[in-house]
């Protein structure tokens, strides 16, 4: 609707006349509101799941891809790093061949004891049972580690290659026996160093200390049932 404003002007100059000025009103229609269309934006990709994590590293000894090549490889079984599925299991009829590895120093490489079994006999057949040289025939590995030392037992004097005196100390050992093919523990036993005589031959360290060892008799007694039954 348009509202008209009228302005009437009269001028008297001897004549009567009029003029009309017309002004348009302000009630014009409002400007149309622009149309709003649905957004076609799909949004950002979903964030990755913050709870996701890498697969945990496997725990415990792992199966070796290769057969043991040397007797010293069986240290991996002692240390709980590897076992050797290619080796024969401790199963079937006795005897069950074993290799004895002795650790003289904590964390050091163990060495094979090739002479502890002599009370069982000296034949090659006996050797293959108690101190086999071929790791592929060994069913069990016995791991003997010195775990603590004690008081002085005595002084041991040696003359070759030059006069020297060493201190013989008490010692305690841990004997563990594992099945080579699976790593399964068959025995875990503490043994005292019951051989307290001065050894005939020794390896001398800078501290000039030597340690009582587990006697051959005690080792055979600990292993006999596992080997012969």
């Amino acid at each position: 609707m348009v509202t008209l404003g009228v302005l009437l002007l009269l001028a008297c100059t001897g004549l009567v006349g009029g003029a009309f000025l017309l002004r348009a009103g302000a009630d014009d229609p409002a400007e149309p509101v622009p149309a709003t269309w649905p957004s076609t934006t799909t949004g950002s990709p979903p964030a990755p799941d913050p709870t996701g994590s890498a697969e945990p590293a496997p725990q415990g000894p792992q199966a070796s891809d290769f057969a043991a090549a040397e007797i010293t490889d069986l240290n991996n079984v002692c240390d709980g790093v590897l076992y050797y599925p290619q080796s024969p299991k401790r199963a079937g009829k006795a005897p069950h061949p074993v290799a004895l590895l002795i650790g003289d120093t904590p964390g050091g490489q163990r060495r094979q004891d090739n002479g502890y079994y002599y009370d069982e006999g000296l034949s090659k057949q006996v050797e293959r049972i108690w101190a086999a040289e071929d790791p592929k025939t060994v069913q069990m590995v016995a791991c003997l580690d010195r775990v603590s030392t004690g008081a002085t037992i005595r002084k041991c004097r040696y003359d070759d290659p030059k006069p020297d005196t060493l201190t013989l100390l008490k010692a305690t050992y841990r004997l563990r026996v594992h099945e080579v093919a699976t790593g399964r523990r068959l025995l875990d036993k503490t043994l005292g160093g019951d051989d307290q005589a001065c050894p005939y031959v020794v390896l001398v360290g800078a501290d000039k200390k030597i340690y009582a060892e587990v006697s051959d008799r005690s080792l055979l007694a600990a292993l006999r049932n596992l080997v012969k039954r």
Side-chain angles (χ1 to χ4, degrees):
M1 176 180 180
V2 178
T3 303
L4 300 179
V6 180
L7 176 60
L8 177 61
L9 298 178
L10 299 176
C12 297
T13 56
L15 294 176
V16 178
F20 296 92
L21 299 177
L22 303 178
R23 182 173 63 86
D27 284 350
D28 299 326
E31 293 183 4
V33 178
T36 302
W37 301 97
S39 173
T40 58
T41 304
T42 58
S44 302
D49 183 1
T51 62
S53 59
E55 185 176 347
Q59 301 294 321
Q62 304 299 303
S64 174
D65 293 332
F66 306 97
E70 301 177 353
I71 288 293
T72 54
D73 289 342
L74 302 184
N75 275 292
N76 291 320
V77 183
C78 292
D79 293 333
V81 177
L82 295 174
Y83 57 89
Y84 297 91
Q86 305 85 355
S87 297
K89 291 184 178 181
R90 184 187 177 276
K93 187 178 179 180
H96 305 288
V98 63
L100 173 62
L101 303 182
I102 297 179
D104 295 320
T105 57
Q109 181 83 340
R110 300 174 188 85
R111 58 178 175 80
Q112 185 178 17
D113 189 331
N114 294 313
Y116 73 101
Y117 66 90
Y118 287 166
D119 285 350
E120 292 289 320
L122 300 177
S123 69
K124 277 292 182 181
Q125 181 179 0
V126 173
E127 179 184 303
R128 285 193 292 268
I129 295 170
W130 294 94
E133 296 179 356
D134 183 0
K136 297 181 181 63
T137 67
V138 175
Q139 296 180 10
M140 301 178 295
V141 57
C143 318
L144 183 68
D145 297 297
R146 189 174 72 234
V147 293
S148 66
T149 60
T152 297
I153 299 173
R154 61 174 52 87
K155 298 291 184 177
C156 299
R157 292 179 172 81
Y158 296 90
D159 296 324
D160 189 15
K162 62 181 181 179
D164 207 347
T165 300
L166 308 180
T167 302
L168 178 65
L169 302 175
K170 293 182 178 180
T172 302
Y173 296 80
R174 182 185 182 189
L175 177 66
R176 293 168 295 130
V177 180
H178 295 268
E179 185 177 49
V180 176
T182 64
R184 180 168 60 100
R185 186 179 298 175
L186 305 173
L187 179 70
D188 192 340
K189 186 174 184 177
T190 299
L191 297 174
D194 57 332
D195 187 352
Q196 299 186 355
C198 291
Y200 184 72
V201 178
V202 294
L203 180 63
V204 182
D207 59 2
K208 295 189 176 183
K209 294 179 180 179
I210 54 178
Y211 304 93
E213 298 180 349
V214 180
S215 66
D216 295 345
R217 177 181 296 182
S218 294
L219 289 170
L220 286 172
L223 298 174
R224 187 171 283 116
N225 285 344
L226 288 172
V227 173
K228 291 192 168 185
R229 292 185 180 179

